Amino acid sequence: MSSAAAFSYAPLLPTGPDQTDYRLVTDEGVDVVHGPGGRRFLTVEPAALTALTAEAMHDIAHFLRPAHLAQLRAIIDDPAASPNDRFVALDLLRNANIAAGGVLPMCQDTGTAIVMGKRGRHVLTDGADAEAISRGVYQAYTKLNLRYSQLAPLTMWDERNTGSNLPAQVEVYAEDPDGHPDAYKFLFMAKGGGSANKSYLYQETKALLNPVRMMQFLEEKLRLIGTAACPPYHLAIVIGGTSAEYALKTAKYASAKYLDALPTSGSMSAHGFRDLELEAEVLELTRNFGIGAQFGGRYFCHDVRVVRLPRHGASCPVAIAVSCSADRQAVAKITPSGVWLERLETDPARFLPDVTDESLDTEMVVRVDLNRPMDEIRAELSKYPVKTRLSLSGPLVVARDIAHAKIAERLNAGEPMPQYLRDHAVYYAGPAKTPEGYASGSFGPTTAGRMDAYVEKFQAAGGSQVMLAKGNRSAQVTRSCQQHGGFYLGSIGGPAARLAQDCIKHVEVLEYPELGMEAVWKIEVEDFPAFIVVDDKGNDFFAEVTKPVLTVGRR
């Protein structure tokens, strides 16, 4: 063996100067005391951690970063964007404007609360930081119109909603943030199930590390992400890692723009770096997928981050993660000057274009009356090709995972399909809490693929003939729709607040009220936007855009 190299240390993820625009939350609960050796210590009361967390979870449920909003506006202004790209971008901007009112959260899936902190060596707390932070999560989710999504496992098979959205994922590291021993810095995230489910780990080998194979690999894997997590995405790709879990965690941080200030080249110190050239090439690759901002076009991704990490010679993990249209994160810090939180955009209306809907809607919009009998609704839909944009008005039945499982049990026991699923289109969704004076809380679509296993059985029994949700479906759904004359309609993933305010006029529980947001609901909608994704002839919009077409490698 060769002689050992000289000792050299570099953090695995060396970040640059903090350029964040902060606002002061409070100067209470923090103090500076002097210790031995002239050292200065920052003391932080538990109440300060709780107040910061509650404020952060409020803000990321209602506000977005200005840069994200500017990217949505850029889609509208891009002449190369498809009409569907522009329509989705405009709807997401309108949704952001409604959410910024502080009543309806931007997405009905208000997510798992994730908090990562770096506590400097001269920061003193009572030691129960995770408890104080969790209390702030509790305050935000129980006081605001947010949804409880966390399930407590009572046995291996039985679960119950915790009724508070706890537990949160809290991780605190002993590290001087930006070299400051008397500072405490944080990343706050709210990660919805749809976005979290599109985190992938691939265990590859050295054979992947050449330009041609890398681009072929990425085209294949990125197409598989689909639209269920509500694009346009902030896409993160991590190549390498000291472990599989470190690669995945790095991808999550990168998708939140937390690692934007990484170096852009490597060194023998073996730190991570961003590959800006590959980022640009992967972004252009996604532009050519044809998937677009959910229903065809160029804007599958807003941007791409590619991080290269060191690796063990026998391993090459590859992690992929996205941040979705609900791009919910903020950084924060506690310093001797107070408690500070990233300033998010409270006036998203300034990003709305001075154009009318008509100037954006260059494709036909078909209005569908859901009050008609199901056979008439299907006959109307059968006239139009996939990708046709629809405007739905009338009654919908709302049912998702648990309700589907219960209805399947009834069918297996020889009971008939409930009449409400025979008479009405079914919307896969689950609402957030309903604010006073509103018909519903934020009420966007959930991921359709989770209900794929039920479709053939339900359609054979006369139900689920028209389904409405987000994301792509499996081939078995397409076959069932062709056999039974059914349709799958795609709703725009993301604008849950706008749907609640503008489109949903009445909500009532039909069955299983004990399931909370998982109950079967009946809602009345008006001008609810949707697109034909799978038709009764066996056509599936996503079937074509998920096929790899790359024939050349990286230049």
Side-chain angles (χ1 to χ4, degrees):
M1 295 180 63
S2 61
S3 59
F7 174 79
S8 174
Y9 173 78
L12 275 174
L13 297 172
T15 55
D18 185 357
Q19 305 292 337
T20 306
D21 179 18
Y22 290 98
R23 66 177 182 86
L24 181 66
V25 174
T26 181
D27 57 6
E28 297 180 358
V30 296
D31 197 6
V32 174
V33 298
H34 296 278
R39 289 178 292 180
R40 189 173 71 160
F41 291 86
L42 175 67
T43 63
V44 179
E45 296 296 327
L49 294 173
T50 298
L52 173 60
T53 303
E55 188 81 358
M57 300 315 295
H58 166 275
D59 281 14
I60 62 178
H62 293 282
F63 308 130
L64 291 158
R65 287 171 168 161
H68 175 87
L69 294 164
Q71 287 174 309
L72 287 172
R73 173 58 187 270
I75 296 174
I76 297 172
D77 294 337
D78 183 0
S82 72
N84 285 349
D85 278 339
R86 292 195 292 272
F87 178 72
V88 170
L90 179 61
D91 219 36
L92 291 172
L93 279 175
R94 287 171 169 164
N95 186 70
N97 197 52
I98 293 168
V103 177
L104 292 165
M106 67 183 74
C107 180
Q108 80 286 343
D109 184 350
T110 47
T112 298
I114 300 172
V115 185
M116 186 273 287
K118 295 181 179 180
R119 190 175 75 189
R121 65 185 185 276
H122 290 173
V123 176
L124 304 178
T125 70
D126 70 353
D129 297 22
E131 181 178 350
I133 290 167
S134 294
R135 186 177 295 277
V137 172
Y138 174 87
Q139 289 182 1
Y141 277 83
T142 55
K143 292 180 180 179
L144 302 172
N145 297 308
L146 309 184
R147 197 175 84 185
Y148 308 142
S149 299
Q150 305 308 307
L151 302 177
L154 304 181
T155 70
M156 180 60 72
W157 322 119
D158 300 318
E159 300 174 308
R160 185 176 301 167
N161 195 297
T162 62
S164 64
N165 215 56
L166 293 177
Q169 179 180 319
V170 181
E171 301 174 1
V172 178
Y173 297 91
E175 180 178 330
D176 290 351
D178 303 324
H180 296 293
D182 58 349
Y184 202 161
K185 300 193 76 171
F186 302 87
L187 171 64
F188 292 95
M189 305 179 72
K191 199 70 173 173
S195 178
N197 291 346
K198 295 303 177 180
S199 298
Y200 295 102
L201 174 70
Y202 302 97
Q203 295 285 17
E204 296 298 314
T205 68
K206 166 67 175 173
L208 184 67
L209 299 180
N210 69 80
V212 173
R213 177 65 189 122
M214 178 64 73
M215 293 300 282
Q216 292 171 341
F217 171 86
L218 290 176
E219 182 184 23
E220 175 189 351
K221 303 306 182 186
L222 296 180
R223 285 179 182 273
L224 295 177
I225 294 174
T227 61
C230 307
Y233 298 128
H234 301 284
L235 172 66
I237 302 164
V238 175
I239 312 296
T242 50
S243 64
E245 64 271 22
Y246 194 82
L248 282 167
K249 183 174 292 189
T250 302
K252 179 176 287 187
Y253 292 161
S255 72
K257 306 298 181 70
Y258 187 73
L259 302 177
D260 275 10
L262 282 178
T264 55
S265 61
S267 76
M268 286 304 295
S269 295
H271 56 74
F273 65 90
R274 285 179 59 190
D275 185 329
L276 302 184
E277 180 185 358
L278 188 53
E279 289 178 0
E281 292 184 18
V282 174
L283 180 60
E284 186 58 29
L285 178 70
T286 67
R287 294 278 193 259
N288 295 318
F289 283 174
I291 300 174
Q294 305 189 32
F295 301 104
R298 287 171 48 81
Y299 282 93
F300 185 62
C301 295
H302 283 304
D303 48 43
V304 177
R305 297 293 182 266
V306 177
V307 176
R308 181 67 158 91
L309 292 179
R311 68 184 185 91
H312 184 285
S315 302
C316 186
V318 177
I320 297 174
V322 297
S323 184
C324 65
S325 294
D327 189 39
R328 293 174 296 194
Q329 57 264 325
V331 295
K333 63 181 180 180
I334 301 177
T335 69
S337 61
V339 179
W340 301 83
L341 179 61
E342 181 178 356
R343 189 186 306 276
L344 301 179
E345 181 57 67
T346 58
D347 183 25
R350 67 187 181 92
F351 293 93
L352 285 167
D354 294 324
V355 295
T356 63
D357 286 356
E358 288 72 20
S359 66
L360 286 169
D361 299 345
T362 57
E363 293 187 344
M364 176 179 63
V365 179
V366 176
R367 300 193 178 278
V368 178
D369 181 4
L370 299 175
N371 290 290
R372 291 182 294 172
M374 180 54 64
D375 287 346
E376 292 185 17
I377 294 172
R378 289 194 291 165
E380 177 70 14
L381 294 174
S382 191
K383 299 176 183 177
Y384 304 100
V386 294
K387 281 180 59 176
T388 298
R389 192 174 132 212
L390 309 173
S391 178
L392 309 177
S393 295
L396 288 168
V397 167
V398 178
R400 44 180 284 162
D401 306 63
I402 298 178
H404 274 70
K406 287 183 173 292
I407 293 169
E409 290 175 359
R410 288 157 59 173
L411 295 178
N412 291 337
E415 298 180 32
M417 172 64 65
Q419 194 63 37
Y420 54 73
L421 278 183
R422 299 174 63 91
D423 293 342
H424 302 294
V426 58
Y427 178 37
Y428 303 157
K433 285 183 283 189
T434 302
E436 185 175 353
Y438 286 75
S440 82
S442 293
F443 211 156
T446 198
T447 304
R450 298 205 307 273
M451 268 55 74
D452 283 5
Y454 302 103
V455 172
E456 201 285 327
K457 179 186 289 290
F458 281 28
Q459 289 189 335
S464 296
Q465 299 297 331
V466 176
M467 302 163 285
L468 175 66
K470 67 174 181 176
N472 44 302
R473 307 298 295 265
S474 64
Q476 71 186 82
V477 172
T478 302
R479 290 193 298 267
S480 182
C481 285
Q482 183 176 17
Q483 179 181 355
H484 298 289
F487 294 84
Y488 167 54
L489 312 180
S491 178
I492 301 173
R498 195 192 78 77
L499 293 175
Q501 176 177 284
D502 298 340
C503 300
I504 299 175
K505 303 304 180 182
H506 179 72
V507 177
E508 62 180 287
V509 175
L510 283 181
E511 196 170 14
Y512 306 122
E514 69 277 8
L515 298 181
M517 67 93 176
E518 290 263 12
V520 176
W521 308 77
K522 184 178 181 181
I523 65 175
E524 290 286 334
V525 301
E526 183 177 297
D527 293 328
F528 193 108
F531 296 79
I532 299 176
V533 176
V534 176
D535 67 14
D536 57 346
K537 305 170 189 66
N539 299 308
D540 176 5
F541 161 65
F542 287 111
E544 290 303 314
V545 298
T546 54
K547 295 178 181 177
V549 297
L550 188 66
T551 57
V552 296
R554 183 182 177 190
R555 295 187 300 275

Coordinates of all heavy atoms in Angstrom, one line a residue, residues 3 10 38 55 81 83 97 109 127 129 150 213 252 257 261 265 269-270 289 305 352 370 433 452 470 474:
S3 N 1.9 5.1 1.0 CA 1.9 5.8 2.2 C 0.6 6.7 2.3 O 0.1 7.1 1.4 CB 3.1 6.7 2.3 OG 3.2 7.7 1.3
A10 N -12.3 18.6 5.7 CA -13.3 19.6 5.1 C -14.7 19.0 5.4 O -14.9 17.8 5.3 CB -13.1 19.7 3.6
G38 N -13.4 34.6 28.8 CA -13.9 35.6 28.0 C -14.9 35.2 26.9 O -15.2 35.9 26.0
E55 N -44.2 30.0 14.2 CA -44.2 31.1 13.1 C -43.8 30.5 11.8 O -44.3 30.8 10.7 CB -43.3 32.2 13.5 CG -43.4 33.5 12.6 CD -44.6 34.4 12.9 OE1 -45.4 34.0 13.8 OE2 -44.7 35.4 12.3
A81 N -43.6 27.9 -23.9 CA -44.4 27.1 -23.0 C -45.7 26.7 -23.7 O -46.2 27.5 -24.5 CB -44.7 27.9 -21.7
P83 N -49.8 25.9 -23.9 CA -50.9 26.5 -23.3 C -51.2 25.8 -21.9 O -51.6 26.5 -21.0 CB -52.0 26.2 -24.3 CG -51.4 26.1 -25.6 CD -50.0 25.5 -25.3
N97 N -51.8 33.5 -4.3 CA -52.4 34.7 -3.8 C -53.4 34.5 -2.8 O -53.6 35.2 -1.8 CB -52.9 35.4 -5.0 CG -53.2 36.9 -4.8 OD1 -52.4 37.6 -4.3 ND2 -54.4 37.3 -5.1
D109 N -52.6 18.8 1.7 CA -51.7 18.0 2.5 C -50.6 18.9 3.1 O -49.6 19.2 2.5 CB -51.0 17.0 1.5 CG -50.1 16.0 2.3 OD1 -49.8 16.2 3.5 OD2 -49.6 15.0 1.6
G127 N -31.8 21.8 27.0 CA -31.5 20.4 26.5 C -32.7 19.7 25.9 O -32.5 18.7 25.3
D129 N -34.6 20.5 23.3 CA -34.9 21.3 22.2 C -36.0 20.7 21.3 O -36.9 21.4 20.8 CB -33.6 21.5 21.3 CG -32.6 22.3 22.1 OD1 -32.6 22.3 23.3 OD2 -31.7 22.9 21.4
Q150 N -50.4 12.5 10.4 CA -49.5 11.5 11.1 C -50.3 10.4 11.7 O -51.3 10.7 12.5 CB -48.6 12.2 12.1 CG -47.8 13.4 11.5 CD -47.1 13.0 10.3 OE1 -46.3 12.1 10.2 NE2 -47.3 13.8 9.2
R213 N -23.7 7.1 -20.2 CA -24.6 6.2 -19.3 C -25.3 7.0 -18.3 O -26.5 6.7 -18.0 CB -23.7 5.2 -18.6 CG -24.4 4.3 -17.6 CD -25.4 3.4 -18.3 NE -26.3 2.7 -17.4 CZ -27.6 2.8 -17.4 NH1 -28.2 3.5 -18.3 NH2 -28.3 2.1 -16.4
K252 N -32.6 15.8 -0.3 CA -33.7 16.5 0.3 C -33.3 18.0 0.6 O -34.0 18.9 0.3 CB -34.2 15.9 1.6 CG -35.3 16.7 2.3 CD -35.8 15.9 3.6 CE -36.7 14.7 3.2 NZ -37.3 14.1 4.4
K257 N -33.1 24.1 -1.9 CA -32.1 25.1 -2.1 C -31.2 25.4 -1.0 O -30.4 26.4 -1.0 CB -32.8 26.4 -2.5 CG -33.8 26.3 -3.7 CD -33.1 25.8 -5.0 CE -34.1 25.7 -6.1 NZ -34.6 27.0 -6.6
A261 N -25.1 27.1 -2.1 CA -23.8 27.8 -2.0 C -22.6 26.8 -2.0 O -21.5 27.1 -1.6 CB -23.8 28.7 -0.8
S265 N -16.7 22.8 -7.8 CA -15.7 21.8 -8.2 C -15.2 21.0 -7.0 O -15.3 21.5 -5.9 CB -14.6 22.5 -8.9 OG -13.9 23.4 -8.0
S269 N -9.9 17.1 -0.8 CA -10.5 17.1 0.6 C -11.8 16.3 0.6 O -12.3 16.1 1.6 CB -10.8 18.6 1.0 OG -9.6 19.3 1.2
A270 N -12.2 15.9 -0.6 CA -13.4 15.0 -0.8 C -14.7 15.6 -0.3 O -15.5 14.9 0.2 CB -13.1 13.7 -0.1
F289 N -39.1 16.1 -22.4 CA -39.9 14.9 -22.0 C -41.3 15.0 -22.6 O -41.9 14.0 -22.9 CB -40.0 14.8 -20.5 CG -38.8 14.2 -19.8 CD1 -38.8 14.2 -18.4 CD2 -37.7 13.7 -20.5 CE1 -37.7 13.7 -17.7 CE2 -36.6 13.2 -19.8 CZ -36.6 13.2 -18.4
R305 N -30.8 20.7 -9.4 CA -29.5 20.7 -8.6 C -28.9 19.3 -8.7 O -29.6 18.3 -8.4 CB -29.8 21.1 -7.1 CG -30.4 22.5 -6.9 CD -29.4 23.6 -7.3 NE -29.9 24.9 -7.1 CZ -30.5 25.6 -8.0 NH1 -30.7 25.1 -9.3 NH2 -31.0 26.8 -7.8
L352 N -48.6 38.1 -10.6 CA -49.7 37.8 -11.6 C -49.6 38.7 -12.8 O -49.3 39.9 -12.8 CB -51.1 38.0 -10.9 CG -51.5 37.0 -9.9 CD1 -52.7 37.5 -9.1 CD2 -51.8 35.7 -10.6
L370 N -72.0 17.8 -14.5 CA -71.9 16.5 -13.7 C -73.3 16.2 -13.1 O -73.4 15.1 -12.5 CB -70.9 16.6 -12.6 CG -69.5 16.9 -13.1 CD1 -68.5 17.1 -11.9 CD2 -69.0 15.7 -13.9
K433 N -58.7 21.4 7.3 CA -59.8 21.9 8.1 C -60.5 23.0 7.4 O -59.9 23.8 6.7 CB -59.2 22.4 9.5 CG -58.8 21.2 10.4 CD -58.3 21.7 11.8 CE -56.9 22.2 11.7 NZ -56.4 22.5 13.0
D452 N -55.1 2.5 -7.8 CA -55.1 1.8 -9.0 C -55.6 0.3 -8.8 O -56.3 -0.2 -9.6 CB -53.7 1.7 -9.6 CG -53.3 3.0 -10.3 OD1 -54.1 3.9 -10.3 OD2 -52.2 3.0 -10.9
K470 N -54.8 13.4 -9.3 CA -53.5 13.9 -9.9 C -52.6 12.8 -10.2 O -52.6 11.8 -9.6 CB -52.9 15.0 -9.0 CG -52.3 14.4 -7.7 CD -51.5 15.4 -6.9 CE -51.0 14.8 -5.7 NZ -50.1 15.7 -4.9
S474 N -51.5 3.4 -13.7 CA -50.8 2.2 -14.3 C -51.6 1.7 -15.5 O -52.7 2.1 -15.8 CB -50.9 1.1 -13.2 OG -52.2 0.7 -12.9

